[in-house]
Amino acid sequence: LQTRTKRHRWYPKILKNQDPIVVSLGWRRFQTRPVYSIQDHNMRQRMLKYTPEHMHCHATFYGPLAPPNTTFIATQGATDKKTSSFRIVATGVILGLDKTIDVVKKLKLTGTPYKIFKNTAFLKGMFSSVLEVSKFEGAMIKTVSGIRGQVKRALSAPPGAFRASFEDKIQISDIVFLRCWVSVDIPKFYTPVINLLTEDKTWSGMRTVAELRREKGEAIPVKQDSIYKEIERKQKVFKPLVVSKSLQKNLPFKTKPKVETKRKKQLYLTKRAVVSEPGERRLTTLMQQLLTAQKESDKKKLEKKNKEKEKYLSEQAKI
């Protein structure tokens, strides 16, 4: 069943993907595990880990046949008597019956080169078998430095290695990654609730992961790789571009390197002494005196301004 679902505004939490819920659809009540998704602008059904807070999303799950536009409500559990909050977790409407719906999620694969031949490189660590490489032949890959490439063919050894071509030569220290979409299987779980939700507690459905952890007293597992850390990257120092003298002769003047090399001997222009005339010396002395007087005047103005500011602040503090 493909449905449009929204978390109930009175329910204090958001719903987790593939957590079991009890759905009341028509005269049937059943427990199922929905997969939440949202439709992108290109009609792709992108999986969501949690339901949006104030927005509709799609929920796909297994259930009985129901015509489109049939409304339903969902609760988290049928026999939980300790719930002090609002019990209805979500409401929705049936959009259609479609078994071929494809819900996808992002997948990012990384690999490293171990042999480089100009614009071609052999990569490993991204796939584990030749079959996986054959599925991604022609896929676009990219290095961290921004050089784009393409998956070409699988290699015989090591397992999962492949040949790739790039638009420029990559380095052995580069990390190559592939962004793709992978399909998510819809859990084939459907359990009818046949006791009409009575108080005898004879029916016990599937519990959520949070309830199981709460009963066993287990903490939420923390993956060390998922913890954000400060990234420290060494600054790469690239070799300077060296153009041979034979190539410089054939280049036009505008493209020739015009950076002068450091001279061992000083030129005549740098060694010669500059002797000014008496009129020029008097003019230079006058300008220096004027600049010194101007600096002294500015300094006195600044001191006077600072004193007035301190006096004003002290008066304001007394008020």
Side-chain angles (χ1 to χ4, degrees):
L1 295 174
Q2 188 179 0
T3 65
R4 184 172 65 246
T5 312
K6 186 180 181 183
R7 180 188 69 90
H8 200 281
R9 67 176 70 183
W10 291 351
Y11 191 67
K13 302 176 184 177
I14 55 176
L15 304 179
K16 189 180 178 183
N17 189 45
Q18 295 193 18
D19 258 5
I21 58 172
V22 176
V23 179
S24 176
L25 177 65
W27 61 85
R28 294 186 179 93
R29 293 183 181 90
F30 59 93
Q31 192 176 39
T32 185
R33 294 175 60 198
V35 173
Y36 302 111
S37 61
I38 195 167
Q39 195 173 52
D40 291 338
H41 64 279
N42 56 356
M43 308 303 287
R44 181 197 292 125
Q45 289 287 346
R46 178 166 50 86
M47 191 194 79
L48 299 174
K49 288 185 178 179
Y50 299 93
T51 55
E53 287 212 30
H54 309 290
M55 195 171 66
H56 286 87
C57 68
H58 287 187
T60 309
F61 52 83
Y62 275 83
L65 296 177
N69 295 328
T70 304
T71 56
F72 66 90
I73 61 171
T75 57
Q76 192 70 263
T79 59
D80 188 8
K81 297 298 179 184
K82 298 178 183 179
T83 304
S84 59
S85 60
F86 197 69
R87 288 179 180 274
I88 298 176
V89 299
T91 57
V93 61
I94 303 293
L95 296 179
L97 309 173
D98 188 5
K99 194 179 179 181
T100 61
I101 185 171
D102 190 21
V103 180
V104 294
K105 67 176 180 180
K106 282 183 181 179
L107 182 65
K108 190 175 182 180
L109 304 173
T110 59
T112 53
Y114 65 93
K115 277 186 183 179
I116 298 171
F117 312 95
K118 289 188 178 179
N119 290 6
T120 305
F122 291 171
L123 278 76
K124 64 178 181 179
M126 190 177 290
F127 306 108
S128 59
S129 63
V130 178
L131 182 63
E132 286 186 5
V133 179
S134 62
K135 288 182 180 179
F136 288 93
E137 280 185 6
M140 299 299 294
I141 55 179
K142 194 177 182 181
T143 64
V144 176
S145 55
I147 302 172
R148 294 170 296 185
Q150 190 179 24
V151 178
K152 290 298 184 183
R153 293 295 297 275
L155 301 175
S156 57
F162 63 94
R163 177 173 58 87
S165 63
F166 295 88
E167 58 188 3
D168 196 3
K169 187 175 181 180
I170 65 172
Q171 293 186 343
I172 199 73
S173 60
D174 274 333
I175 298 173
V176 184
F177 57 89
L178 183 146
R179 287 175 178 166
C180 59
W181 297 90
V182 63
S183 297
V184 179
D185 294 331
I186 310 299
K188 295 182 179 180
F189 178 73
Y190 167 74
T191 304
V193 181
I194 55 176
N195 66 341
L196 301 179
L197 305 182
T198 54
E199 296 182 0
D200 56 1
K201 294 186 179 181
T202 55
W203 183 86
S204 178
M206 181 185 286
R207 290 171 292 180
T208 62
V209 178
E211 290 173 353
L212 292 172
R213 284 188 184 138
R214 205 179 300 122
E215 288 178 7
K216 295 181 180 180
E218 295 180 355
I220 299 173
V222 179
K223 293 183 180 178
Q224 293 297 325
D225 294 341
S226 300
I227 298 173
Y228 287 102
K229 305 170 189 172
E230 289 187 6
I231 301 172
E232 296 180 2
R233 288 195 177 98
K234 293 181 180 179
Q235 191 69 25
K236 281 192 176 181
V237 180
F238 296 97
K239 294 179 180 178
L241 180 64
V242 179
V243 183
S244 62
K245 291 183 179 179
S246 59
L247 181 60
Q248 288 183 26
K249 291 178 182 177
N250 300 327
L251 290 174
F253 178 76
K254 65 178 182 179
T255 55
K256 283 183 180 179
K258 300 173 183 64
V259 180
E260 293 186 2
T261 56
K262 193 175 182 181
R263 298 179 181 274
K264 294 180 181 178
K265 296 181 180 179
Q266 291 184 349
L267 294 175
Y268 167 72
L269 294 173
T270 56
K271 287 191 296 182
R272 69 180 180 179
V274 179
V275 180
S276 56
E277 294 181 358
E280 292 177 346
R281 284 200 296 270
R282 286 195 300 271
L283 187 61
T284 305
T285 306
L286 178 63
M287 291 302 297
Q288 286 177 351
Q289 290 173 352
L290 289 172
L291 286 172
T292 304
Q294 181 67 30
K295 286 181 181 178
E296 196 66 27
S297 175
D298 292 344
K299 185 179 178 181
K300 288 180 180 178
K301 286 180 182 178
L302 185 63
E303 288 176 357
K304 185 180 178 182
K305 188 178 179 181
N306 289 337
K307 286 181 181 178
E308 290 177 355
K309 187 177 180 181
E310 288 175 3
K311 184 180 178 182
Y312 173 76
L313 290 174
S314 62
E315 290 176 356
Q316 290 293 322
K318 289 177 183 178
I319 296 172

